[in-house]
Amino acid sequence: MTPPPAGTRTIVVTGVAHRGQVGEAVAEAFAVAGDTVCVVAREIGDARDRAEALVERGFDVRPFACDLADPAATEALARTVEQSAGRVDALVNLAGGFAMSGPVADGDPDVYARQYRINVETALLTTRAFLPALRRARGAVVFVGSPPALPGGRARNVSAYAMAKAAVLVLMRAVAQEEAAYGVRANAIAPNAIRTQTNTESMPPDTRYVEREAVAAAIMWLCSGAARAVTGQVLELSP
């Protein structure tokens, strides 16, 4: 079955807390296409900030708050979103974060644990919670990996982050294989450095960036009818 066209769908986008980040651009792209967009942040004030900027432009964007590392909270979120919007056609798992961990020999176990929690647990629990709704809609899930997690990727001094993102990609493949019978597709993007406010303030001035709009376009394609035969794949995005 072909996914519904843009403008008739409900899209859930997590990880929208901060202005100038990827979640803001992804939410805007789906909203401009006419979709109902449910934006999720840990604090409702952050979600409202992102939503209100788009609602003022006439788009249907709805804010939700959730601790995505809490199983009960993610299950409640999924129920609330589906009740509010009537259906869920795609879940975009953008919540997560990056940290340098240094050499493995000197690495702080707490850094490894936190990278797992904010990147893997959030994606796992959110996806599990939304799968019943996604099955009903024969929808799509998009995860975010990273080049250090790909074969041959440079993981020096970022092993905690790379290991977490590798786990996310395993999760993606498992969902793609297990949910195919229900018509649910799962894919991932693996962008190089993205031009976000945080990155431009902290990275060297000669850094080459993937634009936020390019990330949004890739995610929109993976959620579209044009990608209905694509599942279990990783798209690496380069400048």
Side-chain angles (χ1 to χ4, degrees), residues 1-11 29-37 87-90 137-139 185 220-221 223-228:
M1 183 175 74
T2 302
T8 63
R9 306 171 302 182
T10 296
I11 313 295
F30 279 111
V32 169
D35 294 315
T36 295
V37 184
R87 60 185 292 143
V88 176
D89 295 284
R138 299 179 70 85
R185 299 180 298 108
M220 289 188 71
W221 181 77
C223 293
S224 74
R228 62 184 177 272

Side-chain angles (χ1 to χ4, degrees), residues 30-54:
F30 279 111
V32 169
D35 294 315
T36 295
V37 184
C38 299
V39 294
V40 183
R42 186 182 180 93
E43 303 295 335
I44 191 61
D46 292 329
R48 284 178 178 152
D49 285 347
R50 301 292 82 72
E52 287 173 0
L54 293 168

Side-chain angles (χ1 to χ4, degrees), residues 91 93 119-120 123-124 127 131 140-146 150 164-180 184-190 222 230-236:
L91 168 65
N93 285 303
N119 288 292
V120 185
L124 169 62
T127 301
L131 275 175
V141 189
V142 177
F143 297 88
V144 179
S146 182
L150 301 179
K165 287 302 187 181
V168 169
L169 296 182
V170 172
L171 171 62
M172 178 276 290
R173 290 197 300 272
V175 173
Q177 294 163 11
E178 294 165 0
E179 297 299 317
V184 176
R185 299 180 298 108
N187 293 286
I189 60 169
L222 288 172
V230 179
T231 193
Q233 303 303 308
V234 181
L235 298 183
E236 184 173 4

Side-chain angles (χ1 to χ4, degrees), residues 18-231:
H18 302 296
R19 190 179 306 278
Q21 301 301 103
V22 176
E24 183 180 55
V26 172
E28 179 180 14
F30 279 111
V32 169
D35 294 315
T36 295
V37 184
C38 299
V39 294
V40 183
R42 186 182 180 93
E43 303 295 335
I44 191 61
D46 292 329
R48 284 178 178 152
D49 285 347
R50 301 292 82 72
E52 287 173 0
L54 293 168
V55 170
E56 289 173 357
R57 295 166 57 188
F59 302 125
D60 185 1
V61 181
R62 308 177 188 188
F64 297 86
C66 185
D67 177 358
L68 299 179
D70 182 330
T74 55
E75 291 172 7
L77 171 69
R79 291 192 298 269
T80 302
V81 167
E82 191 174 21
Q83 289 168 1
S84 171
R87 60 185 292 143
V88 176
D89 295 284
L91 168 65
V92 183
N93 285 303
L94 295 180
F98 169 81
M100 297 290 291
S101 50
V104 172
D106 303 321
D108 183 346
D110 288 342
V111 174
Y112 286 82
R114 175 169 170 73
Q115 285 295 294
Y116 184 88
R117 184 169 62 254
I118 65 176
N119 288 292
V120 185
E121 286 187 10
T122 57
L124 169 62
L125 294 176
T126 307
T127 301
R128 286 182 73 251
F130 277 96
L131 275 175
L134 290 165
R135 288 173 176 177
R136 286 188 280 275
R138 299 179 70 85
V141 189
V142 177
F143 297 88
V144 179
S146 182
L150 301 179
R154 184 177 175 82
R156 181 179 180 180
N157 293 328
V158 295
S159 58
Y161 177 72
M163 290 165 64
K165 287 302 187 181
V168 169
L169 296 182
V170 172
L171 171 62
M172 178 276 290
R173 290 197 300 272
V175 173
Q177 294 163 11
E178 294 165 0
E179 297 299 317
Y182 301 98
V184 176
R185 299 180 298 108
N187 293 286
I189 60 169
N192 284 269
I194 303 169
R195 191 188 301 278
T196 65
Q197 182 174 325
T198 300
N199 284 346
T200 56
E201 291 173 351
S202 62
M203 299 184 75
D206 60 347
T207 299
R208 298 178 62 226
Y209 292 107
V210 177
E211 301 297 334
R212 294 190 308 156
E213 293 76 14
V215 175
I219 291 172
M220 289 188 71
W221 181 77
L222 288 172
C223 293
S224 74
R228 62 184 177 272
V230 179
T231 193

